Amino acid sequence: MCPAARCAAGASAGSVARVKRWAPFVLAAEVLGIVVFSAAYDSLDFRIYWLGGHVMADGSRLYREQLAGHYFTNTPFMAVLFAPLAALPLLLARMLWQLSSLAAFAWACALTVRMAGRRIPLVVAVAGGLLLQPVWQSFFLGQVNLFLLGLVLADLHRVARGRPAGIGVGIATAIKLTPAVFVVLLLLSRRTKDAVTATVTFAVCTFLAYAVAPEASREYWTNTFYDTSRVGVAYISNQSPYGALTRVLRGTAEVGDWYASVPLTVGVCGLAVAALWARRGDWLSATAVTGATGLLVSPISWAHHWVWIVPALAVLLRNGHRKSALAAYILFAVSPLWWTPHNGDPREYGFHVLLTPLANCYLLAGLSFLAYMAVRLRVSPPVPSSDRDGRPRPAPCAAASHAVRDPEPVPGG
C-alpha cells in the first residue's frame, strides 16, 4: 500500500473509531431528549390516535368528526389497536407509545444492519438514524411510521433468510394501506405463500376491526380511504409527485385525470426493479426500492413517511458509495424543504427555478434512488447464494472490489 493510501486508511479508521466512541453518549442524549419531550409535549398525531381509540366504536364518528382539530385518516384497525391505550391517561399512553417507537426503530436498524451484512455497531446506526428528519419528526408528531418500518423489515429479513413470512406486512397494511406495495413485491418475487399470508393477515385484522366498529369500518372503506380532500395535499410536507404537481399547478383541480398514469408508471417501473433485485437474492435492495416506490405512488407522502431512507442509506453504504450516502444523509437530516416558503405563503405555489427543487427534495431523492438502482442492475453481479441470509460476509480482495465497484450515483439518491 502506498503511503498516501496508508494515510487515508488510517484517517478513515480514526474517524470510525471516534464515531464509535462518541455514539453511546449521543444516543444517551437522544433517548433522554425523547423521554423529556414525550413527557412535556402533546404530540398532535398521537393525540388523534388516542382520541380515535376513544370513539372507534361510536358509530361513524371516527371519520365524520374531527379529533383535536383534524380528521382521523388511518384504518379502523389502527383505532382498534389504540383502544387499550385510550383507557390510559394521555401522558402515560404517550410515554409508552414513544418508548415503544424507539424500541421499534432500534429493531428496524438492527434488521437493516443484518440484511446489509455489515458489522456496524447498533448504537451507531440508531444514534445516526435518530438525527434524520423523517425519524425525529415521527417522534415529534407521535406517528406510527417506525412501527410500520419494523414490521415490514422483520418480514423481509425472514424472506432473505428463506423463512416463511407475511404476517408483519399484513399487519402493517391493516394499520396503514401503503405497505400493501410489499405484498406486490412478494408476488413478483415468487414468494406466493408469503403474499397469501400477508393478504390473509390483512383480512383477519380488517374483519376484526369490522366486528368491533362496524359503522366506522363501513364509512372508511366506502368513503374515506381514497378521499385526499381531508388533508392538505399541497402542504410542503407532502413529498409525493401528486403533492409537487398540486403546488406547481396551483391546486388539485389543475391536476387532471391524466395524473393516474404517473403513479402507475412509477409503480410498474419501481416494482419491476425491486423484483429483479429480489430474484438476485438482494432483499435489502428490494426492500429499499419498494419502500421508495410506495412513497412515490401514494398521493400523500408526508416528510415523516420517508423513514425508508434508512434501508436506502444502508444500500448505498454497502455498495461503497460513501459520498452519495453522506449527501443523502445530510439531505434527510437538514431537510431543506422546510427552508422554502410554506404554510400558505404564495411562493409555495407555482414553479421557481431555485425554490421548487428544494421544496421537493425528498421526491427528487426518491426518483434518483430508483434510477440508480435500475442502472446498477446492469453493472452489479447477482448476490452469491451464501450471502442471501443477510449475515456478515468477508470483504472481497481489493482487485475484485475495484473490478465490480458500481459507478458513483448522483448525490442525494
Side-chain angles (χ1 to χ4, degrees):
M1 182 182 293
C2 67
R6 189 179 297 113
C7 290
S12 177
S15 299
V16 172
R18 285 192 293 272
V19 169
K20 290 181 179 179
R21 184 167 59 250
W22 283 101
F25 299 101
V26 174
L27 180 59
E30 290 170 334
V31 172
L32 178 60
I34 290 172
V35 171
V36 173
F37 176 80
S38 302
Y41 185 74
D42 184 10
S43 298
L44 175 61
D45 288 4
F46 178 80
R47 173 179 274 273
I48 295 172
Y49 297 159
W50 184 75
L51 291 173
H54 278 278
V55 305
M56 55 91 185
D58 190 7
S60 58
R61 182 183 173 192
L62 179 64
Y63 296 107
R64 289 185 177 272
E65 298 181 12
Q66 291 190 342
L67 308 175
H70 297 270
Y71 285 109
F72 186 93
T73 58
N74 291 93
T75 65
F77 181 67
M78 174 71 164
V80 170
L81 289 180
F82 258 81
L85 282 177
L88 300 175
L90 177 59
L91 174 60
L92 176 58
R94 187 172 64 243
M95 293 289 291
L96 289 174
W97 176 259
Q98 297 284 46
L99 292 176
S100 298
S101 294
L102 178 61
F105 181 65
W107 186 31
C109 288
L111 293 169
T112 301
V113 169
R114 291 176 195 170
M115 293 176 74
R118 308 277 295 189
R119 297 183 182 276
I120 300 175
L122 180 59
V123 65
V124 174
V126 177
L130 287 172
L131 296 176
L132 294 167
Q133 186 271 340
V135 177
W136 65 251
Q137 193 183 27
S138 292
F139 284 102
F140 177 79
L141 295 172
Q143 262 283 339
V144 72
N145 307 305
L146 303 178
F147 289 99
L148 303 180
L149 180 68
L151 285 168
V152 172
L153 282 172
D155 253 5
L156 273 296
H157 180 247
R158 289 183 62 84
V159 171
R161 301 176 68 184
R163 296 183 178 181
I167 294 177
V169 170
I171 294 174
T173 305
I175 293 173
K176 196 161 192 159
L177 297 180
T178 48
V181 69
F182 287 93
V183 181
V184 182
L185 171 66
L186 293 173
L187 284 172
L188 294 176
S189 56
R190 301 172 185 170
R191 300 282 302 197
T192 306
K193 290 184 179 179
D194 297 334
V196 171
T197 299
T199 304
V200 171
T201 302
F202 166 78
V204 169
C205 294
T206 301
F207 281 115
L208 173 63
Y210 185 85
V212 175
E215 291 186 41
S217 295
R218 283 194 293 270
E219 177 66 23
Y220 179 80
W221 292 110
T222 58
N223 296 315
T224 302
F225 81 93
Y226 56 84
D227 184 4
T228 58
S229 66
R230 297 164 64 89
V231 295
V233 174
Y235 185 49
I236 197 69
S237 183
N238 184 12
Q239 290 289 294
S240 70
Y242 187 59
L245 283 171
T246 298
R247 288 188 290 273
V248 170
L249 299 179
R250 302 176 182 273
T252 56
E254 304 301 324
V255 182
D257 294 339
W258 57 268
Y259 177 76
S261 63
V262 175
L264 179 62
T265 302
V266 173
V268 169
C269 294
L271 285 169
V273 172
L276 289 172
W277 281 115
R279 293 185 184 185
R280 288 187 175 200
D282 189 346
W283 281 96
L284 177 62
S285 292
T287 301
V289 171
T290 305
T293 301
L295 292 167
L296 297 172
V297 167
S298 174
I300 306 294
S301 292
W302 301 127
H304 54 79
H305 290 170
W306 288 74
V307 293
W308 293 101
I309 183 60
V310 173
L313 286 172
V315 168
L316 293 174
L317 287 172
R318 183 201 60 186
N319 295 346
H321 293 169
R322 295 182 180 179
K323 291 181 180 179
S324 291
L326 178 60
Y329 182 87
I330 292 174
L331 177 71
F332 281 86
V334 302
S335 194
L337 66 96
W338 297 106
W339 303 349
T340 64
H342 55 281
N343 288 331
D345 189 299
R347 291 171 295 171
E348 180 179 358
Y349 304 97
F351 179 79
H352 303 274
V353 174
L354 296 178
L355 291 180
T356 299
L358 282 178
N360 300 285
C361 57
Y362 285 10
L363 167 61
L364 296 177
L367 291 171
S368 298
F369 180 71
L370 289 191
Y372 156 67
M373 294 303 293
V375 171
R376 191 171 162 265
L377 281 167
R378 301 182 59 185
V379 298
S380 296
V383 177
S385 59
S386 59
D387 294 340
R388 293 181 183 177
D389 60 356
R391 297 175 184 173
R393 56 187 182 275
C397 66
S401 178
H402 178 75
V404 301
R405 180 177 174 83
D406 303 322
E408 186 71 13
V410 177

